[in-house]
Amino acid sequence: MFHSTMSLEEVSARLEIQALLTRYTMAIDTHDWELLDTVFTSDAWIDYESSGGIKGPYPEVRRWLGEVLPLLPRQQHLIAAPHLALEGDRARARTYVPNPNAFPQPDGSSVYMIVDAYYDDELVWTDAGWRIAKRVEVQVMRRDGR
């Protein structure tokens, strides 16, 4: 018989953080920047450099995302196997991210690329719930469909 040693608070925190990570993917893939504001703290630090992006404070990265992501007509951010370490009102997470993208070509076709990466996140509990205070994306590999 299975016996869990997690408290109700830990189970709740884990579910809330998983919902936060899913909300990120929805915000990114639908280009819903107001929804993205519910994922990060206003002073979050984000680093997407390993995949060719930028790093910097959240407002700067949010602006960049708003310029770059609409250039990709089809994309899908998936998340898998989040590993969470809870430390009171703080947490750390590593989440695996397979991210397929379609790059439009002049002839109307698309070139597909899949970025396999993981996010190393530092999260904090706020009055509005869990938020990401720091995110570092680490690209593991890239598969080009050329």
Side-chain angles (χ1 to χ4, degrees), residues 44-66:
W45 179 261
I46 304 170
D47 181 347
Y48 291 137
E49 280 191 324
S50 78
S51 293
I54 67 169
K55 69 178 174 183
Y58 173 66
E60 180 181 322
V61 173
R62 180 189 192 266
R63 193 169 32 260
W64 175 80
L65 290 168

Side-chain angles (χ1 to χ4, degrees), residues 80-139:
H83 175 77
L84 303 173
L86 299 171
E87 301 157 354
D89 63 353
R90 303 188 75 73
R92 289 177 287 111
R94 173 170 282 181
T95 307
Y96 293 89
V97 183
N99 172 218
N101 298 275
F103 292 88
Q105 301 300 297
D107 66 1
S109 67
S110 293
V111 172
Y112 296 92
M113 177 187 70
I114 300 173
V115 173
D116 292 304
Y118 56 84
Y119 295 139
D120 278 335
D121 294 329
E122 294 177 14
L123 303 102
V124 295
W125 177 257
T126 71
D127 291 339
W130 287 100
R131 296 292 184 266
I132 298 171
K134 181 179 180 184
R135 165 164 283 177
V136 176
E137 179 183 51
V138 178
Q139 182 175 301

Side-chain angles (χ1 to χ4, degrees), residues 20-59:
L20 173 74
L21 297 172
T22 300
R23 193 163 66 242
Y24 168 81
T25 66
M26 294 296 296
I28 290 291
D29 289 342
T30 62
H31 307 167
D32 185 339
W33 313 124
E34 290 179 10
L35 182 60
L36 191 64
D37 291 342
T38 71
V39 173
F40 293 99
T41 61
S42 61
D43 62 347
W45 179 261
I46 304 170
D47 181 347
Y48 291 137
E49 280 191 324
S50 78
S51 293
I54 67 169
K55 69 178 174 183
Y58 173 66

